[in-house]
Amino acid sequence: MYRPSILVSLALVTGCTTFPALDGTVPPEAENAPFPILQPVDPILENTLPDVGTLEAQSDAALSRVAGLQARAARLRARPVIDRPTRARLLQAISAASR
């Protein structure tokens, strides 16, 4: 109930602020400067990208690792996080505490 009124009052308060004077903050040499020259991206990227080799050389190892991780995730999803005796003990403690 208070949140809409707080938001409205905040919007009203920020609407009453004065804007800073920005005229004359840019020096004349910057206003009259030529536009920068655009460079193609390809030569820049060629120098920064690491040599990753070919897909065939890395794909077999990567795909077998992915398959192993997916199988492990499926096994972990299939089993319960808490074993039955611990779960029964916890439920019993919760019911005793709620009385």
Side-chain angles (χ1 to χ4, degrees):
M1 179 166 189
Y2 294 108
R3 289 184 184 174
S5 61
I6 291 172
L7 291 175
V8 169
S9 62
L10 183 64
L12 290 174
V13 169
T14 57
C16 297
T17 60
T18 58
F19 291 105
L22 298 177
D23 294 333
T25 57
V26 178
E29 58 271 2
E31 286 182 358
N32 299 327
F35 285 102
I37 299 171
L38 299 178
Q39 299 291 328
V41 176
D42 294 331
I44 298 169
L45 292 179
E46 287 175 1
N47 295 334
T48 59
L49 293 177
D51 185 22
V52 293
T54 61
L55 178 64
E56 292 83 18
Q58 296 177 355
S59 62
D60 290 337
L63 290 177
S64 64
R65 183 169 185 257
V66 168
L69 289 173
Q70 287 176 340
R72 181 179 177 200
R75 286 192 309 269
L76 289 173
R77 275 191 224 106
R79 68 178 195 176
V81 176
I82 301 173
D83 59 350
R84 288 181 190 236
T86 306
R87 183 175 175 85
R89 185 176 50 82
L90 289 173
L91 290 175
Q92 185 179 15
I94 291 171
S95 65
S98 64
R99 292 183 196 161

